[in-house]
Amino acid sequence: MSETRIVAVGFHRLKGLLQALAPMYKAVADVEVLDKGFDEAVAELRARPADVVVAAGSNGAFLRQQLDVPVVLVKVGGFDVMRALGRARGVATRIALVTYGDVPDEVQQFDRLFGLGIVQRAYTTEEDARDVVRELKALGTEAVVAPGLVADLADEAGMVGVFLYSQDAVREALDDAIEMARIGRIELAKRERLNTVLGQLTDGVVAVDLKECIDTVNPAMAKFLGAPAEALLGRPLSEVAPELSLRHTLRDARDEPEQIHRHGNRTLVASRMPILEQGRLTGAVLTCQDAVSIHRVDRHLRARQAPREAQARYELGHLIGTSAAVVSAKARAEHCARSQATVLITGESGTGKELLAQGIHNAGSRRRQPFVAINCAAFPESLLEGELFGHEEGAFTGARRGGRAGLFEAAHTGTIFLDEVGEMPVSLQTRLLRVLQEREIVRIGATEPIPIDVRVIAATHRDLKAQVAGGGFRNDLYYRLNILGLSLPPLRERLQDLPLLFAHLLDKVSSRVGLSPAPLEAVWPDLLALGGAYGWPGNVRELENIVERLVVHGSELSGGREALRALVPEWFESAPAPSLSDQRRAADLRHVHEVLAACGGDRTLACERLGISRTTLWRRLQEDS
């Protein structure tokens, strides 16, 4: 049996034609003939909807008004009328033609042209039909050509009823119904596909007709509007959400992209667009995005792109200076770049250890691969482990769904830079040692190792040998890291590079902040003299900060050395004696290190002896960095 269901509603003589033709369509449709009164037919079709209904005359008109499904009317053509009139002429001389609705113009013209003298009448209701039959009987009519209802009434009145509809007309109506059902199924499939797509969107979508009544709304938009879709369909959008109105779009037929609206407690980004079909405006569509979702996606995108964006930017040539120490460091760095061995860079904070690490990466064979950097002092132990090694789904409360790759995986085929490696907890030092030995990592919560191809460059401002001696750093890890060693001197030990560094940073900062460096020319000799006598505890990083301060306040430098005193007071101050609190803090830190060394670096045992938590121990050690 075909999936297409056609219900043909017919009484009297039409029923016979429909029943005779129905079996011919069984290969393409299930044609069911329904012989019931108007109200009964409507009830039946509402209970079991058809794809298309076929009917004729007043019955068809009534069904069209009552049903939501398409109703195809059996149409009477001029040839059908002529053939029926011919049959009537064979049995009578006084003939009448009765049609539902208006009499076709061509029949009237034909009658006038040939002078047939045919009485023509029309009806719209059953009562009209009975009145017409009584009138025709009174006029002496012998034969009545009409639809089934009137033909039967004519027979009952003693006249000859000639059925108006031909088999060809009924067949044509059935053909039209099947084609309409086929097109309807295609359109339904398209709509279902569209609704499936719209249902998956996180963006809200609503479409309206020319009266701005909602005819399509997806679940996301229904949620935004605070009502189920079935309660929204057919309602004017302006009534549901005035701030999201599409009236201007329907009036002007132009796009309105990305406008911000407040609806309830949500901020929505709305875009409007007219719907044009074959160049004709038929409606409009509104799409809405929740601003919170946009921010969330933006954060995810930036988080995912962060490792890729953290490519090495600096070359070895960016290490400015002609002092022997700098020249030697650059030469040794170039040698390191030719190898794949682990590098340990030592030097005070602010001397340029990451710059040197990036320069080594960019001078080596991995320069087109990722360069991923992490400051080991910036995370507590629990977070640092997850950052480095990643985790599996469900490894701990709050673990990302699907798991998360760590920085070692992100740096695969490239370089990972472990800054301040001396601050790494002993428990993680063990895991790092395994990575260096086995070249594989195990995510938190996982059991299977993941092979990695990563070059490791580490840096520290601490004396790792002293930490090894005190038990704060693993001896075997130190020798695994210190295969290729580099040391960067503090700025106070290469003051001959100060003029070059001043000039370089002056150009860099001036370009970045968009201000002219010209005002500094008046105090250039003082800059070099005072800078050369300063100890530079913050090294090159401190120098760059002071240069930016001078460029920003350059208009104040006309006061010469006194102006410099106001802007850079540290150059004019002698180092103060340590306060009593500073002395106590230093003594406390020395005690912590002594206990930690006595415990062989075991922080849990050291905490027990000191009577403090691991968090307090970690914080005090950070204060000493």
Side-chain angles (χ1 to χ4, degrees):
M1 183 178 292
S2 171
E3 293 183 359
T4 301
R5 181 170 180 258
I6 307 294
V7 173
V9 181
F11 310 106
H12 315 292
R13 309 180 193 201
L14 179 59
K15 173 185 174 183
L17 285 178
L18 290 169
Q19 289 176 331
L21 291 172
M24 300 179 185
Y25 292 91
K26 64 181 179 180
V28 292
D30 176 19
V31 179
E32 177 185 340
V33 179
L34 190 63
D35 180 14
K36 292 187 176 181
F38 288 175
D39 293 332
E40 289 180 294
V42 168
E44 172 76 15
L45 288 167
R46 284 177 177 169
R48 296 179 59 236
D51 293 302
V52 183
V53 174
V54 175
S58 58
N59 198 23
F62 177 79
L63 293 175
R64 273 188 170 176
Q65 293 176 350
Q66 300 297 319
L67 300 175
D68 293 330
V69 298
V71 177
V72 174
L73 297 180
V74 179
K75 299 176 182 177
V76 178
F79 183 73
D80 292 326
V81 174
M82 295 301 105
R83 186 163 51 185
L85 289 173
R87 291 201 307 272
R89 182 66 71 184
V91 296
T93 56
R94 305 189 64 164
I95 301 170
L97 173 65
V98 180
T99 59
Y100 175 78
D102 296 332
V103 178
D105 291 339
E106 60 268 24
V107 174
Q108 297 182 36
Q109 294 173 5
F110 188 82
D111 184 38
R112 287 195 298 270
L113 181 63
F114 292 95
L116 299 177
I118 299 171
V119 177
Q120 299 175 25
R121 295 290 185 272
Y123 73 100
T124 55
T125 66
E126 184 175 349
E127 188 60 35
D128 289 342
R130 294 184 182 279
D131 290 341
V132 166
V133 169
R134 284 193 289 268
E135 179 190 1
L136 294 176
K137 178 66 176 178
L139 292 173
T141 304
E142 298 171 336
V144 178
V145 176
L149 171 63
V150 177
D152 287 348
L153 290 173
D155 283 341
E156 292 174 5
M159 297 178 285
V160 177
V162 178
F163 190 40
L164 179 59
Y165 299 122
S166 68
Q167 191 177 63
D168 290 341
V170 175
R171 183 184 292 110
E172 183 178 350
L174 290 172
D175 290 341
D176 289 347
I178 290 170
E179 179 63 12
M180 186 176 290
R182 186 185 71 84
I183 294 173
R185 287 190 174 276
I186 293 173
E187 293 300 320
L188 178 61
K190 288 181 179 179
R191 177 171 283 273
E192 288 177 347
R193 180 182 177 87
L194 177 61
N195 287 338
T196 300
V197 172
L198 292 177
Q200 300 303 312
L201 295 179
T202 56
D203 293 357
V205 181
V206 60
V208 302
D209 59 19
L210 289 175
K211 295 181 180 178
E212 210 211 10
C213 292
I214 298 173
D215 57 23
T216 301
V217 59
N218 74 337
M221 181 60 82
K223 184 177 180 181
F224 290 160
L225 297 178
E230 54 270 20
L232 295 168
L233 294 175
R235 295 177 61 188
L237 180 59
S238 295
E239 174 188 302
V240 176
E243 62 277 9
L244 301 178
S245 172
L246 282 166
R247 286 178 177 171
H248 290 116
T249 308
L250 291 170
R251 184 191 65 195
D252 303 333
R254 61 182 178 84
D255 295 353
E256 297 178 72
E258 297 179 349
Q259 296 183 337
I260 308 297
H261 298 286
R262 188 75 184 173
H263 178 71
N265 60 352
R266 295 178 184 270
T267 299
L268 300 176
V269 180
S271 295
R272 296 168 172 83
M273 181 183 299
I275 299 174
L276 299 174
E277 297 182 43
Q278 297 181 345
R280 186 170 60 88
L281 181 69
T282 59
V285 64
L286 172 80
T287 61
C288 288
Q289 294 175 287
D290 190 346
V292 173
S293 299
I294 295 174
H295 291 317
R296 186 184 305 119
V297 171
D298 180 59
R299 286 197 303 272
H300 288 330
L301 287 174
R302 285 188 282 112
R304 287 176 177 270
Q305 292 171 355
R308 183 169 294 180
E309 291 176 353
Q311 297 291 330
R313 296 175 296 158
Y314 297 110
E315 308 284 346
L316 290 175
H318 288 106
L319 186 60
I320 305 299
T322 58
S323 63
V326 171
V327 171
S328 174
K330 289 167 72 171
R332 296 190 69 184
E334 289 174 355
H335 296 157
C336 292
R338 300 170 192 158
S339 169
Q340 298 298 316
T342 303
V343 180
L344 178 62
I345 304 172
T346 57
E348 294 180 8
S349 295
T351 52
K353 296 188 291 296
E354 182 169 355
L355 184 153
L356 194 64
Q358 291 192 22
I360 293 171
H361 173 82
N362 277 334
S365 59
R366 297 175 182 258
R367 57 186 169 274
R368 298 187 185 278
Q369 303 306 318
F371 178 90
V372 178
I374 182 172
N375 189 319
C376 298
F379 297 88
E381 180 178 344
S382 59
L383 293 181
L384 181 59
E385 183 178 18
E387 288 294 315
L388 288 173
F389 303 105
H391 62 78
E392 292 293 286
E393 180 175 346
F396 50 83
T397 303
R400 180 182 295 179
R401 185 176 182 181
R404 178 177 179 271
L407 295 182
F408 273 107
E409 289 181 69
H412 180 62
T413 72
T415 301
I416 187 168
F417 175 56
L418 303 176
D419 197 9
E420 302 298 352
V421 72
E423 313 306 320
M424 183 177 286
V426 175
S427 59
L428 292 188
Q429 291 177 27
T430 304
R431 294 197 66 175
L432 176 58
L433 179 63
R434 179 172 179 80
V435 173
L436 295 176
Q437 289 175 336
E438 306 297 335
R439 295 294 166 176
E440 62 185 24
I441 62 101
V442 179
R443 291 185 180 183
I444 299 173
T447 56
E448 292 295 324
I450 301 173
I452 55 168
D453 172 19
V454 174
R455 184 180 194 181
V456 176
I457 300 178
T460 182
H461 72 281
R462 289 187 176 278
D463 183 350
L464 289 188
K465 284 187 177 180
Q467 283 191 264
V468 169
F473 202 84
R474 290 183 61 107
N475 183 63
D476 45 5
L477 177 59
Y478 170 71
Y479 288 109
R480 278 284 181 181
L481 291 174
N482 195 29
I483 297 174
L484 301 177
L486 286 173
S487 179
L488 279 176
L491 181 54
R492 62 181 174 276
E493 294 180 8
R494 59 180 186 109
L495 290 174
Q496 70 185 76
D497 293 331
L498 195 60
L500 282 175
L501 287 168
F502 253 128
H504 169 74
L505 293 173
L506 193 58
D507 289 340
K508 175 183 174 182
V509 171
S510 299
S511 176
R512 185 175 70 229
V513 302
L515 294 172
S516 172
L520 275 72
E521 295 177 3
V523 294
W524 186 254
D526 292 323
L527 291 177
L528 297 181
L530 293 168
Y534 182 58
W536 296 106
N539 293 294
V540 179
R541 184 181 296 122
E542 182 184 11
L543 174 60
E544 183 169 0
N545 293 342
I546 289 176
V547 169
E548 182 154 358
R549 192 188 313 165
L550 292 170
V551 170
V552 171
H553 298 288
S555 60
E556 302 176 24
L557 293 176
S558 58
R561 185 171 283 240
E562 288 305 311
L564 287 174
R565 183 185 296 276
L567 290 175
V568 197
E570 53 264 44
W571 285 355
F572 298 86
E573 298 171 355
S574 58
S579 66
L580 182 60
S581 63
D582 289 338
Q583 294 177 29
R584 288 176 177 171
R585 187 180 297 110
D588 182 48
L589 287 171
R590 281 196 302 273
H591 178 59
V592 168
H593 282 294
E594 289 169 0
V595 172
L596 190 59
C599 295
D602 187 333
R603 295 194 177 191
T604 301
L605 181 57
C607 288
E608 290 177 358
R609 293 186 180 181
L610 292 167
I612 60 176
S613 68
R614 287 182 64 89
T615 301
T616 301
L617 176 62
W618 180 82
R619 186 173 63 251
R620 290 185 181 180
L621 292 175
Q622 294 304 304
E623 292 172 356
D624 191 32
S625 62

